[in-house]
């Protein structure tokens, strides 16, 4: 797809749907006894990573589409205490992705004051969150996070575009040297400071 002639919705929305489906698949196979296991994010165990993933890539994504604030009851919640949390996450993801199916949602800005961003940029960065944190959860639970080449290429482009911004807030570490012949998603992970070969 030619990004020069396509709208952000046309290029990013398919990737959002793909990453959401893959994140839902990965969470559905997280063993209940692995919540205390380590993840590629040294400061998070599986439970903390799941809570971050569920909060921001489903509830946060939906609230951003509707331009509403997330209630504190969500931000303080441990989603893993619900036995059926993977099913609830899948349903929340479905609602969030459906909210972004409206082309009008991609117009304008989200947020207030200096923190406001173009809606398309918010959607792009949330899709990145799904991909990177979904991969982290997959690695932590002995699974493989799979993306199409087109979506992997988009993720790599976004990582490279926003890398310095993320590093300012410690969201990314220093890039890890990786051969240019490596798979596209592998290069995206390395560019974000994540070790593509990390194991528990």
């Amino acid at each position: 797809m030619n990004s020069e002639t396509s709208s952000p919705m046309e290029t990013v929305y398919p990737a959002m749907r793909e990453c959401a489906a893959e994140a839902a698949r990965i969470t559905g196979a997280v063993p209940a006894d692995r919540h205390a296991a380590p993840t590629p994010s040294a400061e998070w165990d599986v439970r903390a990573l799941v809570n971050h993933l569920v909060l921001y890539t489903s509830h946060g994504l939906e609230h951003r589409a509707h331009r509403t604030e997330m209630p504190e009851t969500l931000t303080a919640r441990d989603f893993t205490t619900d036995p059926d949390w993977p099913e609830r996450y899948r349903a929340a993801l479905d609602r969030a992705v459906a909210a972004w199916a409206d082309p009008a949602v991609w117009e304008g800005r989200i947020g207030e004051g200096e923190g406001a961003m173009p809606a398309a940029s918010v959607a792009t960065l949330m899709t990145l969150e799904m991909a990177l944190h979904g991969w982290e959860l997959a690695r932590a639970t002995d699974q493989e996070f799979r993306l199409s080449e087109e979506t992997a290429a988009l993720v790599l482009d976004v990582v490279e575009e926003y890398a310095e911004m993320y590093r300012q807030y410690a969201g990314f570490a220093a890039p890890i040297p990786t051969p240019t012949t490596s798979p596209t998603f592998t290069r995206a992970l390395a560019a974000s400071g994540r070790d593509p070969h990390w194991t528990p």
Side-chain angles (χ1 to χ4, degrees):
M1 183 176 295
N2 188 339
S3 60
E4 294 183 359
T5 58
S6 301
S7 70
M9 182 178 180
E10 291 173 317
T11 56
V12 177
Y13 190 59
M16 177 190 290
R17 288 186 301 180
E18 182 180 343
C19 289
E22 188 67 353
R25 184 184 70 81
I26 293 298
T27 54
V30 172
D33 62 355
R34 294 292 292 276
H35 290 173
T39 74
S41 292
E43 69 275 18
W44 287 341
D45 59 11
V46 166
R47 184 188 306 277
L49 177 57
V50 164
N51 281 316
H52 181 87
L53 186 69
V54 172
L55 179 64
Y56 289 104
T57 67
S58 61
H59 300 290
L61 185 63
E62 183 181 12
H63 278 278
R64 283 172 171 83
H66 297 307
R67 273 66 167 177
T68 55
E69 293 290 331
M70 280 196 297
E72 291 185 7
T73 52
L74 281 178
T75 58
R77 185 173 174 180
D78 179 358
F79 297 97
T80 65
T81 59
D82 299 318
D84 61 345
W85 71 263
E87 290 77 17
R88 293 188 182 203
Y89 175 51
R90 180 186 293 274
L93 268 177
D94 288 345
R95 291 194 303 270
V97 173
W100 284 89
D102 181 357
V105 173
W106 294 73
E107 302 298 328
R109 300 173 71 83
I110 295 177
E112 298 180 358
E114 295 182 358
M117 294 183 67
S121 297
V122 171
T124 300
L125 294 178
M126 295 304 293
T127 300
L128 178 67
E129 289 272 312
M130 287 184 198
L132 296 182
H133 293 315
W135 171 84
E136 289 173 340
L137 185 59
R139 294 297 293 177
T141 55
D142 300 317
Q143 301 183 68
E144 181 183 358
F145 194 84
R146 299 187 293 265
L147 293 180
S148 67
E149 179 60 25
E150 186 173 17
T151 295
L154 182 142
V155 170
L156 176 59
D157 287 344
V158 177
V159 167
E160 292 178 340
E161 179 178 356
Y162 289 95
E164 292 310 311
M165 181 190 79
Y166 271 93
R167 289 192 180 98
Q168 289 178 9
Y169 299 99
F172 286 0
I176 296 175
T178 303
T180 56
T181 54
S182 298
T184 304
F185 189 46
T186 296
R187 289 187 284 128
L189 293 168
S192 75
R194 288 162 172 81
D195 178 3
H197 307 294
W198 184 92
T199 55

